[in-house]
Amino acid sequence: MSISNNDQYRTALTALLDRVEGTLDATGDRFPYVYDREADAWETTENGNWCGGHWVGLLWHAASHADSDRASDRFERAARKHTETIRAYMPRDSMFCGMNFTYAGFRGYDHSGDRTLFGIGLEGADAMTESFHEGARQIPLGKLAIKGPEQFRGPDSDHGPPGDRIGAVDDLYTAVSILWRAFDEIGDPRFRDVAVSHADRHLDWYVRDNGRTWHHAVFDEDGALERQYNELAHGDDTCWARGQGWSIAGLAAAYAATGAERYRRALESNVAYYRSNAPDDHVPHWDFEVPDPETEPRDSSAAALTAYGLVALLPEDDRVADLRDFGHEVLSSLVSSYLVTDPNDPAYGRVLHGCFNRPGEYATDTELIWTTYYLTETLATVLDT
């Protein structure tokens, strides 16, 4: 990384952490979710819903980078209080339990050294192994009610199959990454075995021949595949951008954990599709192949997930050097064109143009708390190396 990039990235991280402080001022004990541009305020949840761990992770970063003990203590107290809320609320049969307990548990431990938080990480790993469907070789979506429109895909959709018989492209990252960490920490082979089995099924059910991904796979009670479909994409012949980002992040984690060639090849295929179908600045529209893309919103959260997954790939592994380089290109684009870094701008520290749910017309062009987290985490990783 060049000195100029280093300076640009430090400026970016400062802006993001300032935004964390302002967000805490505005939201207090609640969890920021998506930014309501009309109200000029965060839409919040009382329990974090599916993504509260991102806010906890941001609070720990703010505590680590605070310029005074008083400020650091404030952020840490908030992180711990929100962690208690997540632990009490989070359904253990939800794929999101793994992700949230990674951030609130294991990464909270990384920041603090608190073994209680380490235990929350292990609790999440245990929950994911218990949720694993042996026949489908999947950790199912689960039954957490995701905050959004009543009909998630829009008014003409139905509610889909039950959560215990459906998997998602998100799962490889949200549910499985905690298992690699748990295995690395304590060596229990059940964590590794479930992670590998789920990751291998991801290759079967979600990575398509042309490198794009399916969003969902439905299976019967015995685990046999019934059908695949795209809930948040334009259609079944297109590709949901954030789903592609989740797959890239998940495959990068699987490859880093195992060194298995099959995960690297699938990752290369996902990234090749992403590169070929994203605009020149590497930040995709919400669907890579949506008709009339110039009239459709971008999704900076898809790009943030992609950068996050690729930049952290093993630095000593030359086989993934091109993938890491592309991750840095995506990161640079986000910092240069999507993050507000002018301290005099009222939007200072916001990551713009996130699209949560275009089919349901919900939070389609705005700031999303998970985008802020993945960009912050990626910059912190780069600046620490």
Side-chain angles (χ1 to χ4, degrees):
M1 181 175 61
S2 68
I3 294 175
S4 60
N5 273 350
N6 195 311
D7 291 342
Q8 181 188 38
Y9 289 171
R10 291 192 185 282
T11 297
L13 185 58
T14 298
L16 290 163
L17 294 175
D18 184 88
R19 182 61 174 158
V20 172
E21 182 174 16
T23 298
L24 179 59
D25 293 341
T27 59
D29 290 343
R30 294 182 68 84
F31 289 78
Y33 190 56
V34 301
Y35 201 75
D36 184 336
R37 292 170 59 194
E38 291 186 6
D40 194 23
W42 280 102
E43 186 174 339
T44 63
T45 68
E46 64 180 358
N47 52 32
N49 199 246
W50 69 270
C51 61
H54 297 103
W55 179 230
V56 173
L58 286 166
L59 291 167
W60 279 116
H61 276 296
S64 296
H65 290 86
D67 56 9
S68 71
D69 289 343
R70 181 177 181 181
S72 181
D73 287 346
R74 181 197 179 206
F75 292 126
E76 180 171 341
R77 286 196 305 272
R80 290 180 180 278
K81 184 172 182 60
H82 284 81
T83 295
E84 291 172 3
T85 300
I86 289 174
R87 189 179 189 183
Y89 156 75
M90 182 56 55
R92 300 307 193 264
D93 64 350
S94 166
M95 70 174 186
F96 298 115
C97 180
M99 178 183 71
N100 284 290
F101 281 31
T102 295
Y103 300 154
F106 281 137
R107 292 191 183 171
Y109 163 75
D110 293 339
H111 283 280
S112 67
D114 185 343
R115 295 294 292 185
T116 300
L117 298 179
F118 183 90
I120 293 175
L122 289 181
E123 185 180 339
D126 284 336
M128 294 300 89
T129 59
E130 290 167 8
S131 296
F132 182 67
H133 191 293
E134 292 282 354
R137 292 166 47 204
Q138 287 276 277
I139 298 168
L141 175 66
K143 298 179 181 178
L144 184 153
I146 297 174
K147 181 176 173 61
E150 182 180 354
Q151 298 291 89
F152 202 65
R153 187 174 163 78
D156 297 328
S157 65
D158 58 31
H159 287 292
D164 60 355
R165 290 200 297 105
I166 185 172
V169 70
D170 325 19
D171 274 14
L172 183 60
Y173 182 78
T174 60
V176 176
S177 293
I178 197 168
L179 301 177
W180 305 121
R181 174 68 187 264
F183 176 68
D184 186 55
E185 291 287 353
I186 66 173
D188 187 332
R190 66 194 174 100
F191 297 134
R192 177 201 59 210
D193 293 348
V194 169
V196 169
S197 187
H198 183 110
D200 287 349
R201 180 62 86 201
H202 182 86
L203 304 184
D204 297 336
W205 284 3
Y206 300 97
V207 180
R208 303 167 81 167
D209 289 343
N210 59 4
R212 61 186 173 185
T213 48
W214 286 108
H215 183 179
H216 284 310
V218 183
F219 50 89
D220 65 20
E221 292 182 358
D222 295 325
L225 178 66
E226 292 184 335
R227 64 187 178 98
Q228 295 140 308
Y229 72 102
N230 286 334
E231 183 175 28
L232 288 182
H234 176 73
D236 283 347
D237 293 327
T238 64
C239 181
W240 176 42
R242 191 164 65 256
Q244 196 79 0
W246 285 121
S247 185
I248 288 169
L251 287 168
Y255 177 67
T258 66
E261 287 294 300
R262 60 190 183 279
Y263 302 143
R264 180 174 63 84
R265 289 193 298 270
L267 178 60
E268 290 171 342
S269 177
N270 273 183
V271 172
Y273 175 86
Y274 184 113
R275 297 184 76 160
S276 297
N277 291 276
D280 290 343
D281 69 355
H282 307 313
V283 177
H285 296 88
W286 66 277
D287 184 301
F288 282 99
E289 299 179 57
V290 65
D292 302 317
E294 297 311 312
T295 67
E296 296 289 341
R298 301 289 189 97
D299 185 13
S300 56
S301 75
L305 275 163
T306 298
Y308 167 81
L310 297 180
V311 164
L313 282 168
L314 306 175
E316 69 278 5
D317 190 342
D318 292 339
R319 293 171 296 179
V320 291
D322 289 344
L323 297 175
R324 279 196 307 273
D325 289 346
F326 180 64
H328 280 281
E329 291 178 26
V330 178
L331 176 62
S332 179
S333 180
L334 285 167
V335 167
S336 299
S337 302
Y338 291 80
L339 172 65
V340 181
T341 56
D342 178 359
N344 297 314
D345 192 315
Y348 180 55
R350 297 185 192 178
V351 188
L352 307 177
H353 305 308
C355 182
F356 181 23
N357 183 339
R358 178 70 171 87
E361 286 294 335
Y362 179 73
T364 59
D365 184 13
T366 193
E367 181 181 12
L368 308 170
I369 197 63
W370 53 94
T371 316
T372 304
Y373 174 78
Y374 290 113
L375 185 55
T376 300
E377 185 73 33
T378 306
L379 288 168
T381 297
V382 169
L383 291 169
D384 283 345
T385 55

